[in-house]
Amino acid sequence: SIINSCVTVLLLTGFLATILMRVLKADFVKFSREDAAMEEEESGWKYIHGDVFRFPPNKSIFCAFVGTGSQIFCLSLFIFALALVGVFYPYNRGALFTALIVLYALTACIAGYIATSYYVQMEGQNWVQNILVTCFCYCGPFFGMFAFLNTVAIFYRVSVCPRRWSLH
């Protein structure tokens, strides 16, 4: 059944590639003609090409999200690789969370590098601010939610809430 699935995927990919090649070839032939009448009636891609390659208005936030996304992607790849190797056992419940925290800290350099490189490519000037935005882009909302929920729990005097002096 695995071979059947692989053959089906290959056939569907081939069909899709054939359709795309026909459409792109027709568009290429149509746009490569240099008729004066054609230039007056242009529409579609040639009108929007200036908007497609324009930089986004909030470059720093966009690059921070791209860097954080790459960090989460690499983090998930590393966790899956460790799970495939067999590092996590069912009787050791804290191993997965410990690995998540350690790998999150180690993959922070990937997020910073990718976010800063994209920011510099988009002609950004304040790359230090971009790194700080990238740092707080993912963990900032979690810390805010943690602080808010604990503040509400302390206000209602919930016994499960960790007290200030117990966090030392």
Side-chain angles (χ1 to χ4, degrees), residues 6 8-9 16 33 53 57 64 73 93 101 103 106-107 126-128 138-140 148 155-156 160 165 167-168:
C6 292
T8 304
V9 167
L16 183 66
R33 293 184 201 154
F53 297 114
F73 179 71
R93 295 184 183 186
I101 291 170
L103 287 174
L106 292 176
T107 56
N126 198 357
W127 59 271
V128 176
Y138 185 69
C139 64
F148 175 74
F155 179 73
Y156 285 109
V160 182
W165 55 83
L167 294 177
H168 290 237

Side-chain angles (χ1 to χ4, degrees), residues 60-74 107-118 130 134-135 137-138:
S60 182
I61 295 173
F62 175 74
C63 293
F65 284 151
V66 170
T68 304
S70 63
Q71 179 184 11
I72 294 171
F73 179 71
C74 291
T107 56
C109 61
I110 294 172
Y113 175 76
I114 289 178
T116 305
S117 70
Y118 280 138
N130 186 17
T134 305
C135 289
C137 184
Y138 185 69

Side-chain angles (χ1 to χ4, degrees), residues 1-167:
S1 82
I2 294 173
I3 295 173
N4 189 16
S5 298
C6 292
V7 169
T8 304
V9 167
L10 288 175
L11 283 174
L12 289 174
T13 305
F15 292 148
L16 183 66
T18 304
I19 292 169
L20 285 175
M21 288 301 290
R22 287 183 182 178
V23 170
L24 291 176
K25 184 177 179 182
D27 285 346
F28 183 70
V29 167
K30 184 172 76 173
F31 286 123
S32 66
R33 293 184 201 154
E34 295 184 2
D35 297 333
M38 178 98 176
E39 289 178 7
E40 294 174 3
E41 299 176 5
E42 287 179 355
S43 62
W45 170 253
K46 290 196 176 184
Y47 279 136
I48 64 168
H49 79 280
D51 290 336
V52 171
F53 297 114
R54 184 180 40 155
F55 295 141
N58 296 322
K59 293 183 270 193
S60 182
I61 295 173
F62 175 74
C63 293
F65 284 151
V66 170
T68 304
S70 63
Q71 179 184 11
I72 294 171
F73 179 71
C74 291
L75 177 68
S76 63
L77 284 180
F78 291 152
I79 289 293
F80 285 139
L82 288 174
L84 284 174
V85 171
V87 173
F88 306 122
Y89 298 104
Y91 57 84
N92 191 359
R93 295 184 183 186
L96 178 64
F97 295 120
T98 303
L100 277 171
I101 291 170
V102 169
L103 287 174
Y104 176 78
L106 292 176
T107 56
C109 61
I110 294 172
Y113 175 76
I114 289 178
T116 305
S117 70
Y118 280 138
Y119 186 70
V120 170
Q121 286 176 4
M122 291 184 188
E123 299 171 359
Q125 300 298 324
N126 198 357
W127 59 271
V128 176
Q129 178 190 4
N130 186 17
I131 290 177
L132 292 175
V133 170
T134 305
C135 289
F136 294 114
C137 184
Y138 185 69
C139 64
F142 286 125
F143 178 74
M145 184 173 38
F146 171 78
F148 175 74
L149 291 176
N150 280 336
T151 303
V152 169
I154 289 171
F155 179 73
Y156 285 109
R157 299 177 197 268
V158 176
S159 61
V160 182
C161 175
R163 298 289 175 208
R164 185 186 61 166
W165 55 83
S166 67
L167 294 177

